[in-house]
Amino acid sequence: MTRNSNLFAFPKSRCQEGLDSGKHCGVKSGGLPEFFALLENGTMSHGERLRLDPGVIMEQMKVQIAVANAQELLQRMTDKCFRKCIGKPGGSLNNSEQKCIAMCMDRYMDAWNTVSRAYNSRLQRERANM
Amino acid sequence: MAELGEADEAELQRLVAAEQQKAQFTAQVHHFMELCWDKCVEKPGYRLDSRTENSLSSCVDCFIDTTLAITGRFAQIVQKGGQ
């Protein structure tokens, strides 16, 4: 279970961690660009064949899960913050609305972490009682 | 297409199961947020105050208790219906 809920736990690629001497480290830039490239291509760059070992497969799976989670988070956050911050819809977002949205995003993530911790504690308590 | 050896396959199943569990946890948190944000957060400020934080924690516990209460009572209802 996630102890400290890292919302954007995009896993470090094995390239970034220095594992795998260059086999699939064709994409030079690390982080976001690299894993989006992985997602799009579905294979390694430079025509490398996909090596089927659990590590590589899991890396791709974790990335896909993380991306899906981020999308879910953004969609729900947008919904909630729209409801909280936008009263009568005007022509465009005024300053106070924009400020509200920014704060709302931060509070939403704080709340997410609080809920995550609470759920984790509850699960541990239930397990202890079994 | 390359195939996984038996040991790799078993390892993969183990890792996938772990990820599935994590994903279920995350999905559940999203669901809690759906309900508890509305109940506990009024106007988003510069931080979550302790009242809001307590409300969110309690909300999770209450929801789980509600789930347990409902499934428990429902089981009774179904059982009675069968007699």
Side-chain angles (χ1 to χ4, degrees):
Chain A
M1 294 297 131
T2 45
R3 253 177 296 126
N4 51 317
S5 49
N6 187 353
L7 283 175
F8 300 103
F10 294 110
K12 275 199 164 75
S13 77
R14 292 165 71 87
C15 303
Q16 286 171 303
E17 299 207 44
L19 308 164
D20 293 355
S21 50
K23 277 273 162 62
H24 57 279
C25 298
V27 181
K28 287 297 190 299
S29 57
L32 272 165
E34 177 169 1
F35 70 70
F36 275 124
L38 273 175
L39 272 182
E40 273 173 14
N41 298 334
T43 61
M44 301 306 143
S45 51
H46 294 251
E48 293 280 352
R49 261 169 40 95
L50 181 68
R51 267 186 316 133
L52 286 182
D53 73 57
V56 170
I57 293 175
M58 289 313 298
E59 183 181 322
Q60 286 204 321
M61 182 185 286
K62 284 185 194 181
V63 159
Q64 286 176 1
I65 290 174
V67 168
N69 183 36
Q71 283 177 335
E72 181 88 26
L73 181 77
L74 283 177
Q75 192 177 64
R76 290 168 183 264
M77 180 193 283
T78 303
D79 209 83
K80 294 299 186 193
C81 292
F82 179 80
R83 286 176 210 253
K84 287 273 187 235
C85 292
I86 313 299
K88 209 98 171 135
S92 61
L93 300 176
N94 62 39
N95 271 342
S96 72
E97 284 168 338
Q98 291 198 15
K99 195 166 161 221
C100 178
I101 288 170
M103 285 204 287
C104 179
M105 287 177 68
D106 289 342
R107 299 298 75 75
Y108 191 87
M109 290 193 271
D110 290 341
W112 210 96
N113 285 331
T114 300
V115 166
S116 186
R117 278 194 302 268
Y119 185 39
N120 196 28
S121 303
R122 179 61 187 259
L123 285 175
Q124 288 183 335
R125 254 179 289 147
E126 296 293 328
R127 251 180 238 133
N129 289 339
M130 281 203 292
Chain B
M1 174 143 162
E3 282 194 358
L4 287 171
E6 244 180 60
D8 275 353
E9 176 106 21
E11 169 80 348
L12 187 65
Q13 274 187 1
R14 202 180 53 80
L15 292 170
V16 166
E19 281 305 312
Q20 260 179 336
Q21 220 183 15
K22 278 192 236 170
Q24 271 181 334
F25 180 89
T26 304
Q28 196 63 263
V29 175
H30 279 306
H31 189 196
F32 289 141
M33 281 298 289
E34 196 61 41
L35 299 164
C36 299
W37 172 268
D38 294 333
K39 282 198 188 292
C40 297
V41 180
E42 296 184 7
K43 202 88 178 147
Y46 288 99
R47 42 176 272 282
L48 290 181
D49 62 31
S50 53
R51 204 181 69 178
T52 310
E53 298 234 331
N54 289 336
S55 177
L56 289 166
S57 302
S58 302
C59 180
V60 172
D61 275 321
C62 285
F63 184 85
I64 293 174
D65 291 339
T66 304
T67 306
L68 293 172
I70 288 182
T71 48
R73 181 135 199 284
F74 188 73
Q76 287 178 336
I77 292 171
V78 165
Q79 204 179 42
K80 285 209 187 99
Q83 284 172 351

